């Protein structure tokens, strides 16, 4: 009985890993399409006065903690490989995603919540492919510390069916540094922006 239980656990674990990898391949393709949507709608562009786009996207960490709960006890954890500060995980609460609505209609469904948590372990890195980066004014991560006007996009958080997504765009400039959240929906194979919100602002001076 014990051997059967262990065998079943291994099968389930293996299936989860395969699902994760399969979804990651699909989501990388969909991310390419989302960026193409941003380019077509001039959310990001290539011109003399446009912001440079960081070729590496930041990863959003989805927290399942209660947004109003008191901080949990400190625990010792193994730190991940160090990334540039600008690309280190930004935390977003799962409640915020599930409570997001448009004209009274929830954007994400409750069944997406398990999928959200799994995305903390998948699709950890994304770099703009050559076919897209050649259309933009690109800045590599190594040059960000010396740059003034640039934007960093986040790796999208996808719904279970990969037809809705959440992203963040951080804009860094001398005049007004700010962040925007973007909700997207795939309709008839095309990604469309359905809602945007300002999430933070840092004034100069």
């Amino acid at each position: 009985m014990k051997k059967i239980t262990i065998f079943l656990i291994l099968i389930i674990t293996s299936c989860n890993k395969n699902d994760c990898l399969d979804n990651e391949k699909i989501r990388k393709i969909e991310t390419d399409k989302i960026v193409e949507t941003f380019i077509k709608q001039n959310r990001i562009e290539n011109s003399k006065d446009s912001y440079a786009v960081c070729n590496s996207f930041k990863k959003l960490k989805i927290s399942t903690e209660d947004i109003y709960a008191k901080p949990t006890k400190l625990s010792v954890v193994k730190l991940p490989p160090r990334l540039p500060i600008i690309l280190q995980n930004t935390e977003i609460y799962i409640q915020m995603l599930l409570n997001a609505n448009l004209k009274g209609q929830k954007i994400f469904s409750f069944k997406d919540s398990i999928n959200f948590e799994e995305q903390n372990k998948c699709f950890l890195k994304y770099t703009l492919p050559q076919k897209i980066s050649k259309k933009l004014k690109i800045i590599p991560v190594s040059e960000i510390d010396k740059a003034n006007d640039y934007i960093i996009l986040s790796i999208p958080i996808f719904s279970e069916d990969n037809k809705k997504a959440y992203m963040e765009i951080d804009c860094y400039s001398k005049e007004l540094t700010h962040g925007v959240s973007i909700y997207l929906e795939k309709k008839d194979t095309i990604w469309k922006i359905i809602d945007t919100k300002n999430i933070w602002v840092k004034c100069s001076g």
Side-chain angles (χ1 to χ4, degrees), residues 68-123:
Y68 301 111
K70 293 180 180 179
T72 54
K73 293 181 180 179
L74 294 175
S75 58
V76 178
V77 296
K78 185 178 180 181
L79 294 174
R82 186 170 179 79
L83 294 170
I85 293 176
I86 209 76
L87 289 183
Q88 286 181 20
N89 288 348
T90 301
E91 192 170 65
I92 180 170
Y93 287 94
I94 196 168
Q95 285 174 271
M96 292 178 67
L97 293 171
L98 295 176
N99 290 337
N101 70 85
L102 183 63
K103 297 179 180 178
Q105 288 281 82
K106 292 287 182 69
I107 294 175
F108 295 107
S109 66
F110 185 73
K111 68 179 182 179
D112 291 322
S113 57
I114 296 175
N115 183 262
F116 287 156
E117 190 176 358
E118 289 174 350
Q119 288 183 61
N120 281 335
K121 305 169 188 174
C122 301
F123 200 2

Side-chain angles (χ1 to χ4, degrees), residues 20-32:
C20 187
L21 290 173
D22 289 342
N23 254 327
E24 183 167 334
K25 291 175 184 176
I26 293 169
R27 287 167 178 166
K28 282 185 176 178
I29 293 171
E30 295 302 330
T31 301
D32 290 350

Side-chain angles (χ1 to χ4, degrees), residues 39-201:
I39 293 172
K40 288 176 182 177
Q41 296 186 4
N42 295 321
R43 293 274 173 175
I44 50 178
E45 54 186 322
N46 186 3
S47 66
K48 183 180 177 181
D49 300 321
S50 64
Y51 283 68
V53 179
C54 182
N55 63 343
S56 296
F57 285 23
K58 69 176 184 178
K59 174 69 176 177
L60 295 173
K61 181 182 177 183
I62 305 166
S63 174
T64 55
E65 294 282 336
D66 188 323
I67 194 170
Y68 301 111
K70 293 180 180 179
T72 54
K73 293 181 180 179
L74 294 175
S75 58
V76 178
V77 296
K78 185 178 180 181
L79 294 174
R82 186 170 179 79
L83 294 170
I85 293 176
I86 209 76
L87 289 183
Q88 286 181 20
N89 288 348
T90 301
E91 192 170 65
I92 180 170
Y93 287 94
I94 196 168
Q95 285 174 271
M96 292 178 67
L97 293 171
L98 295 176
N99 290 337
N101 70 85
L102 183 63
K103 297 179 180 178
Q105 288 281 82
K106 292 287 182 69
I107 294 175
F108 295 107
S109 66
F110 185 73
K111 68 179 182 179
D112 291 322
S113 57
I114 296 175
N115 183 262
F116 287 156
E117 190 176 358
E118 289 174 350
Q119 288 183 61
N120 281 335
K121 305 169 188 174
C122 301
F123 200 2
L124 303 177
K125 293 181 180 179
Y126 176 82
T127 302
L128 287 170
Q130 178 63 26
K131 65 178 182 179
I132 295 178
S133 62
K134 67 181 181 182
K135 301 177 183 179
L136 299 167
K137 185 194 295 185
I138 294 295
I139 182 170
V141 178
S142 58
E143 295 179 15
I144 276 181
D145 289 340
K146 299 177 183 178
N148 290 320
D149 298 316
Y150 61 92
I151 64 174
I152 295 178
L153 290 84
S154 71
I155 295 173
I157 295 172
F158 288 93
S159 60
E160 185 181 39
D161 60 6
N162 295 319
K163 291 184 178 179
K164 292 180 180 177
Y166 171 87
M167 287 183 74
E168 292 181 3
I169 299 180
D170 297 333
C171 304
Y172 294 86
S173 71
K174 289 181 178 179
E175 296 177 359
L176 184 64
T177 299
H178 64 284
V180 179
S181 64
I182 297 180
Y183 295 87
L184 303 107
E185 185 173 7
K186 190 176 182 182
K187 298 179 180 179
D188 300 324
T189 72
I190 298 172
W191 282 99
K192 296 181 179 180
I193 296 171
I194 58 174
D195 196 19
T196 62
K197 289 181 172 66
N198 291 321
I199 49 178
W200 63 271
V201 176

